[in-house]
Amino acid sequence: MSHDTGADVDELLTMSRSELDRLFRASPPGEIPRGEGRGTVLVARGAKLSKVVAASARLLAWQGKVFDRDGGGLRNKVTPFGVRAVRAKVYRDSSLLDDGECIVLDYSRTSVLAHRIRDEIRQIGPHRYLGIAYWGRHRILNFSLHFTGPRT
């Protein structure tokens, strides 16, 4: 059964943190993604500022994540050149937000730079995921991932 909240990236960019939290809580973990997901940083600070931050982050720092579902990991696409770096292990576990099941992107044993980072994602629609990034237990920001085509 497919879960579709109808929320696309443009709508996510307009949402407040509490709205993003409600959407995350209401969404299932979904399947662990496969392949390249286009990333969008969601700062939940109003549509105009959110769009500027998202575009700047994509241009200068982070374009998304490339999942290797069979290998249980991923690499982030970073820098303006889309370099695949900053590895993470990928598995299911309880969310720090609500204790419900989510897909965890764990950098604690794979990255010296990002060892305190933990991302959590849940599926909000076909090929679309909403994520939360944590530094330790402190929430940093939200992000979305959009995959094109089948993930299997």
Side-chain angles (χ1 to χ4, degrees):
M1 183 172 136
S2 177
H3 175 77
D4 190 357
T5 64
D8 63 12
V9 172
D10 288 333
E11 184 176 351
L12 294 172
L13 285 165
T14 68
M15 291 182 168
S16 68
R17 180 172 271 188
S18 62
E19 291 170 320
L20 291 169
D21 285 351
R22 277 194 297 276
L23 179 57
F24 189 86
R25 284 185 177 104
S27 299
E31 293 295 319
I32 292 176
R34 177 180 297 196
E36 188 170 325
R38 178 179 170 95
T40 303
V41 171
L42 306 170
V43 294
R45 298 283 189 249
K48 284 185 181 181
L49 179 60
S50 292
K51 287 179 182 181
V52 169
V53 170
S56 298
R58 183 174 298 118
L59 179 67
L60 300 172
W62 179 71
Q63 290 82 43
K65 299 178 185 293
V66 181
F67 285 78
D68 174 9
R69 186 166 64 191
D70 297 332
L74 69 77
R75 289 189 184 263
N76 283 272
K77 285 184 66 178
V78 295
T79 78
F81 306 105
V83 174
R84 292 180 183 191
V86 193
R87 291 184 311 122
K89 294 303 268 176
V90 179
Y91 53 87
R92 294 176 180 277
D93 202 354
S94 297
S95 170
L96 297 177
L97 183 70
D98 64 4
D99 287 325
E101 186 179 21
C102 69
I103 299 168
V104 174
L105 317 177
D106 180 358
Y107 300 87
S108 66
R109 292 184 172 89
T110 58
S111 174
V112 173
L113 269 179
H115 73 276
R116 302 237 9 217
I117 301 293
R118 170 191 168 113
D119 295 340
E120 299 178 351
I121 61 174
R122 287 188 179 150
Q123 190 170 15
I124 59 170
H127 316 296
R128 296 188 319 261
Y129 290 78
L130 175 61
I132 303 172
Y134 292 91
W135 177 273
R137 294 190 68 82
H138 177 72
R139 181 176 178 166
I140 302 169
L141 53 78
N142 288 86
F143 63 92
S144 70
L145 294 169
H146 180 262
F147 296 82
T148 57
R151 298 176 329 275
T152 57

